[in-house]
Amino acid sequence: MDKNQAVAENNKAFQSGVYPDENGHFGPYGGRYVGETLMPALLELEAAYNKYLSDPGFQEEFRALLTHYTGRPTPLFHAKRLSAHLGGAQIYLKREDLTHTGAHKINNTLGQALLAKYMGKKKVIAETGAGQHGVATATVAALFGMECKVFMGTEDVRRQAPNVRRMELLGAEVVPVASGTGTLKDAMNEALRYWVGAVEDTFYIIGSVAGPHPYPVMVREFQKVIGQEARGQILEMAGRLPDMLVACVGGGSNAMGLFFPFAEDESVEMVGVEAAGKGVHTDKHAATLGKGTVGVLHGSKSYVLQDENGQITEAHSVSAGLDYPGVGPEHSMFKDFGRARYESITDTQALDAFKTLCLQEGIIPALESAHAMAQAMIEAKKMGTDKIIVVNLSGRGDKDLGIVDEYLK
Ligand SMILES: Cc1ncc(COP(=O)(O)O)c(C=O)c1O
């Protein structure tokens, strides 16, 4: 088999259900690295997930909620002024910021909360960084009448105060986590610890394509609606597939949601954008795929940021949703197989892109999404005006106004 054939075979494998295998492995990544006490809960979850994935009743209810509650399909918007301003490729924005609660996180929480309902669980827990996943979980918990606890690092409680208020209004208890750096990794540690003692009646809604099997595949499944819609929309609007997809990568759920339905389309280049924070040459970044090494975090094998003793190191980004020292295992496989390219954008570049999008298109993006925007702008300038880039605008920026104000002062 020559190289091109091998790539084509690989691309087909990505979509055909080869990955993950029955133990949740994406090539060498993924799996289920957890203590014995969590195994029964994960096996119960996997069985329920497999059962309801093909259950027409479940699927119908999920689709109906995505349409009537979330507001799907979200538009694909041709950012003509921005494209002209850059003088390169045509940029199209997949408007996940227009979903109910303002970020792609709602697609996944609806799916998992519905699964919890079908499993007869009355309580849900979640971890959150930027607070968008926490808000989305609190929202669906209220919708289904479930008790909800959200674990959140103390630093993120400070940075994302409006979202804490929203969660409380929605009836959730926000549990501040002061250990470590008081950010997403610590919140996830605490949520996993809490779950061990509460597995009987509690469903853990994980917010990204991370964590032990079946979470990475399950979250991708609930998020792939983004790419399915975008693929149909661009074919209709432009009459062809895009040349490039760009999405930011924290744990990787909005990126995988966009990428996955295009995995077999060899002509479509995929670019995932991590946070370079203060620069990848410093120790203040969250470029897990760019700078990390293979290790285990939160029950899954993937690239992680760690020191020479295997201790997980701190991640940094101006955007709370990106400063995670791990990444979903499927992205690690995409990186190794060359299916996606991963770049990183600094805090300053993201803030500049944030401003540009506000002024050029009247859209205030989440700081996470501003990382994708910044990379897309770099890529667009290198491409001809007949090329097409689809950028996932994963969320809206209301939650970030305090941080942006500090920067602009
Ligand atoms: C708006 C937004 N985009 C992106 C992310 C990053 O998550 P993921 O990489 O799982 O899409 C977050 C996380 O909180 C977010 O709130």
Side-chain angles (χ1 to χ4, degrees):
M1 204 187 299
D2 71 15
K3 194 168 165 243
N4 287 346
Q5 260 176 317
V7 169
E9 287 300 312
N10 249 341
N11 289 351
K12 244 190 233 128
F14 292 141
Q15 265 214 356
S16 65
V18 172
Y19 303 109
D21 69 13
E22 72 273 21
N23 295 315
H25 289 109
F26 295 88
Y29 304 110
R32 204 150 28 199
Y33 296 84
V34 296
E36 270 169 45
T37 38
L38 270 189
M39 278 309 272
L42 290 172
L43 293 174
E44 184 198 7
L45 172 61
E46 187 186 9
Y49 165 68
N50 286 334
K51 176 172 169 200
Y52 293 117
L53 191 68
S54 52
D55 178 298
F58 178 92
Q59 284 302 336
E60 201 176 305
E61 202 171 340
F62 182 46
R63 295 288 141 202
L65 283 166
L66 285 180
T67 305
H68 303 294
Y69 191 66
T70 306
R72 303 205 71 88
T74 57
L76 182 71
F77 173 67
H78 185 182
K80 289 189 189 142
R81 250 172 65 78
L82 176 66
S83 306
H85 170 75
L86 298 169
Q90 301 307 306
I91 294 186
Y92 287 74
L93 305 175
K94 182 61 176 158
R95 299 290 309 273
E96 292 303 292
D97 59 316
L98 293 180
T99 54
H100 177 49
T101 73
H104 71 290
K105 297 285 178 187
I106 191 77
N107 307 321
N108 168 46
T109 55
L110 259 183
Q112 289 196 48
L114 197 59
L115 198 51
K117 187 180 110 171
Y118 275 64
M119 290 169 77
K121 308 264 178 187
K122 299 263 184 312
K123 295 182 187 171
V124 294
I125 58 166
E127 83 297 328
T128 195
Q132 287 306 106
H133 174 60
V135 168
T137 302
T139 300
V140 294
L143 178 71
F144 293 130
M146 293 168 173
E147 202 180 303
C148 176
K149 264 190 212 311
V150 180
F151 296 85
M152 188 169 187
T154 45
E155 172 62 10
D156 290 335
V157 168
R158 185 189 68 76
R159 287 195 290 188
Q160 303 287 338
N163 274 343
V164 174
R165 186 77 191 107
R166 286 165 86 195
M167 284 183 264
E168 287 171 348
L169 281 171
L170 292 161
E173 181 194 349
V174 178
V175 184
V177 177
S179 56
T181 48
T183 57
L184 182 58
K185 142 181 90 57
D186 312 298
M188 196 156 173
N189 280 337
E190 198 50 43
L192 280 165
R193 226 188 324 268
Y194 178 89
W195 197 34
V196 172
V199 280
E200 282 296 305
D201 62 355
T202 302
F203 188 108
Y204 179 12
I205 300 185
I206 289 187
S208 196
V209 283
H213 180 61
Y215 282 101
V217 63
M218 179 169 69
V219 177
R220 177 246 272 164
E221 210 48 44
F222 292 141
Q223 290 290 7
K224 74 178 185 193
V225 63
I226 302 172
Q228 284 170 334
E229 283 178 10
R231 197 172 182 284
Q233 288 166 322
I234 197 71
L235 284 173
E236 201 174 313
M237 290 169 79
R240 68 176 183 89
L241 288 171
D243 299 286
M244 185 182 283
L245 305 173
V246 182
C248 67
V249 177
S253 67
N254 86 89
M256 196 47 74
L258 177 67
F259 291 175
F260 187 72
F262 291 88
E264 268 188 51
D265 300 316
E266 278 159 56
S267 64
V268 180
E269 196 184 351
M270 297 172 181
V271 183
V273 187
E274 300 189 300
K278 295 192 189 308
V280 288
H281 56 286
T282 71
D283 59 1
K284 294 244 173 294
H285 64 77
T288 312
L289 288 162
K291 286 281 169 180
T293 46
V294 177
V296 169
L297 178 63
H298 298 139
S300 175
K301 191 192 255 192
S302 200
Y303 281 87
V304 295
L305 295 178
Q306 57 189 335
D307 66 18
E308 48 298 345
N309 301 318
Q311 294 295 316
I312 300 300
T313 55
E314 291 174 20
H316 165 86
S317 168
V318 69
S319 78
L322 297 185
D323 73 355
Y324 181 56
V327 67
E330 196 165 11
H331 283 289
S332 293
M333 181 181 75
F334 270 33
K335 172 189 152 88
D336 283 8
F337 288 178
R339 183 63 192 96
R341 163 159 71 86
Y342 294 88
E343 304 287 351
S344 58
I345 284 292
T346 64
D347 292 348
T348 312
Q349 287 174 301
L351 285 153
D352 285 347
F354 175 97
K355 253 176 84 179
T356 306
L357 192 65
C358 288
L359 296 178
Q360 291 295 327
E361 297 291 355
I363 296 171
I364 303 175
L367 278 177
E368 291 80 9
S369 321
H371 285 72
M373 285 311 308
Q375 187 65 35
M377 291 181 198
I378 293 171
E379 302 288 344
K381 284 185 194 160
K382 293 190 264 179
M383 295 160 78
T385 52
D386 59 332
K387 299 289 183 201
I388 295 175
I389 301 179
V390 171
V391 186
N392 203 16
L393 202 73
S394 56
R396 66 172 190 236
D398 313 30
K399 70 184 176 58
D400 296 317
L401 297 188
I403 299 166
V404 174
D405 281 350
E406 265 175 49
Y407 160 79
L408 292 177
K409 253 185 235 154

